[in-house]
Coordinates of all heavy atoms in Angstrom, one line a residue:
G4 N 4.2 3.7 -4.6 CA 3.6 4.6 -5.6 C 3.4 3.9 -6.9 O 3.8 2.7 -7.1
D6 N 4.8 4.3 -9.9 CA 6.1 3.9 -10.6 C 6.7 2.7 -9.9 O 7.4 1.9 -10.6 CB 7.0 5.1 -10.6 CG 6.5 6.3 -11.4 OD1 5.7 6.0 -12.3 OD2 7.0 7.4 -11.2
Q7 N 6.6 2.6 -8.6 CA 7.2 1.4 -7.9 C 6.4 0.1 -8.2 O 7.0 -0.9 -8.2 CB 7.2 1.7 -6.4 CG 8.1 2.8 -6.0 CD 7.9 3.2 -4.5 OE1 6.9 3.6 -4.1 NE2 9.0 3.1 -3.7
A11 N 6.2 -4.8 -11.2 CA 5.5 -6.0 -10.9 C 4.3 -6.2 -11.8 O 3.9 -7.3 -12.2 CB 5.0 -5.9 -9.4
I24 N -0.1 -16.7 -25.7 CA 0.7 -17.1 -26.9 C 0.8 -18.6 -26.9 O 0.7 -19.3 -28.0 CB 2.0 -16.4 -26.8 CG1 1.9 -14.9 -27.0 CG2 3.0 -17.0 -27.9 CD1 3.1 -14.1 -26.8
A27 N -2.4 -20.1 -28.1 CA -2.6 -19.9 -29.6 C -1.7 -20.9 -30.3 O -2.1 -21.4 -31.4 CB -2.3 -18.5 -29.9
R29 N -0.7 -23.9 -29.4 CA -1.3 -25.2 -29.4 C -2.5 -25.3 -30.4 O -2.7 -26.3 -31.0 CB -1.8 -25.5 -28.0 CG -0.6 -25.8 -27.0 CD -1.2 -26.4 -25.7 NE -2.2 -25.7 -25.1 CZ -2.0 -24.7 -24.2 NH1 -0.8 -24.4 -23.8 NH2 -3.0 -24.1 -23.6
L55 N -9.6 1.9 -15.2 CA -10.6 1.9 -14.2 C -10.3 2.8 -13.0 O -9.4 2.5 -12.2 CB -10.8 0.4 -13.6 CG -12.0 0.0 -12.9 CD1 -13.2 0.2 -13.9 CD2 -12.0 -1.4 -12.5
E81 N -30.5 19.8 -42.0 CA -30.8 20.5 -40.8 C -31.6 19.7 -39.8 O -31.5 19.8 -38.6 CB -31.5 21.8 -41.2 CG -31.7 22.8 -40.0 CD -30.4 23.1 -39.3 OE1 -29.3 23.1 -40.0 OE2 -30.4 23.3 -38.1
A86 N -31.7 17.2 -34.3 CA -31.9 16.1 -33.4 C -30.9 16.0 -32.3 O -31.0 15.2 -31.3 CB -31.9 14.8 -34.2
V100 N -26.1 5.0 -36.3 CA -26.5 3.9 -37.2 C -27.6 4.4 -38.1 O -28.6 5.0 -37.6 CB -27.0 2.7 -36.4 CG1 -27.4 1.6 -37.3 CG2 -25.9 2.2 -35.4
H128 N -13.0 9.3 -43.6 CA -12.7 8.0 -44.3 C -14.0 7.3 -44.5 O -14.8 7.1 -43.6 CB -11.7 7.2 -43.5 CG -11.4 5.9 -44.1 ND1 -12.1 4.7 -43.9 CD2 -10.4 5.6 -45.1 CE1 -11.5 3.7 -44.7 NE2 -10.6 4.3 -45.4
M132 N -17.7 -1.9 -48.4 CA -17.4 -3.4 -48.3 C -18.4 -4.1 -49.2 O -19.5 -4.4 -48.8 CB -17.5 -3.9 -46.9 CG -16.4 -3.3 -46.0 SD -16.6 -3.8 -44.2 CE -17.8 -2.7 -43.7
A154 N -25.6 10.3 -65.3 CA -25.1 10.1 -66.7 C -24.3 11.3 -67.1 O -23.2 11.3 -67.7 CB -26.2 9.8 -67.7
K157 N -21.1 11.8 -65.2 CA -20.0 10.8 -65.6 C -19.4 11.3 -66.9 O -18.2 11.2 -67.1 CB -20.6 9.5 -65.8 CG -19.6 8.3 -65.9 CD -20.3 7.0 -65.8 CE -19.2 5.9 -65.8 NZ -19.8 4.5 -65.7
T168 N -11.7 18.4 -56.1 CA -10.4 18.4 -55.4 C -10.0 19.8 -54.9 O -9.2 19.8 -53.9 CB -9.3 17.9 -56.4 OG1 -9.3 18.7 -57.6 CG2 -9.5 16.4 -56.8
G172 N -9.8 18.6 -51.4 CA -8.4 18.3 -51.2 C -8.2 16.9 -50.8 O -8.8 16.0 -51.4
P181 N -13.7 -6.2 -50.8 CA -14.8 -7.2 -50.9 C -15.4 -7.4 -49.5 O -14.8 -7.2 -48.5 CB -14.1 -8.5 -51.3 CG -12.8 -8.0 -51.9 CD -12.4 -6.8 -51.2
V187 N -13.1 -6.3 -37.8 CA -13.1 -5.0 -37.2 C -11.8 -4.6 -36.6 O -11.4 -3.5 -36.5 CB -14.3 -4.9 -36.2 CG1 -14.0 -5.9 -35.0 CG2 -14.5 -3.5 -35.6
A199 N -1.7 8.0 -37.6 CA -0.3 8.1 -37.4 C 0.4 8.9 -38.5 O 1.3 9.8 -38.3 CB 0.4 6.8 -37.1
S218 N -22.7 -5.4 -41.6 CA -22.6 -6.8 -41.8 C -21.5 -7.2 -42.8 O -21.3 -8.4 -43.1 CB -23.9 -7.4 -42.2 OG -24.4 -6.8 -43.4
K221 N -15.9 -9.1 -41.6 CA -15.6 -10.5 -41.4 C -15.6 -10.8 -39.9 O -14.9 -10.1 -39.1 CB -14.3 -10.9 -42.0 CG -14.0 -12.4 -41.9 CD -12.6 -12.7 -42.5 CE -12.3 -14.2 -42.4 NZ -11.0 -14.5 -43.1
Y238 N -20.0 -4.0 -32.4 CA -20.3 -2.7 -31.9 C -19.4 -2.3 -30.7 O -19.0 -1.2 -30.5 CB -21.8 -2.5 -31.7 CG -22.5 -2.2 -32.9 CD1 -22.8 -3.2 -33.9 CD2 -23.0 -0.9 -33.2 CE1 -23.5 -2.9 -35.1 CE2 -23.6 -0.6 -34.4 CZ -23.9 -1.6 -35.3 OH -24.5 -1.3 -36.5
Q257 N -28.8 -2.6 -42.5 CA -30.1 -3.1 -43.0 C -31.0 -3.6 -41.9 O -30.5 -4.3 -41.0 CB -29.9 -4.1 -44.1 CG -29.2 -3.6 -45.3 CD -29.1 -4.6 -46.5 OE1 -29.5 -5.7 -46.3 NE2 -28.6 -4.2 -47.6
E275 N -29.9 -7.8 -36.9 CA -29.6 -9.1 -36.4 C -29.5 -9.2 -34.9 O -29.6 -10.3 -34.4 CB -28.3 -9.6 -37.1 CG -28.3 -9.5 -38.6 CD -27.9 -8.1 -39.1 OE1 -27.9 -7.2 -38.3 OE2 -27.6 -8.0 -40.3

Side-chain angles (χ1 to χ4, degrees):
D6 292 340
Q7 293 171 301
I24 292 172
R29 290 194 303 270
L55 199 60
E81 189 55 31
V100 180
H128 180 267
M132 292 177 281
K157 197 168 184 178
T168 55
V187 65
S218 60
K221 180 180 180 180
Y238 277 75
Q257 292 185 357
E275 307 84 345

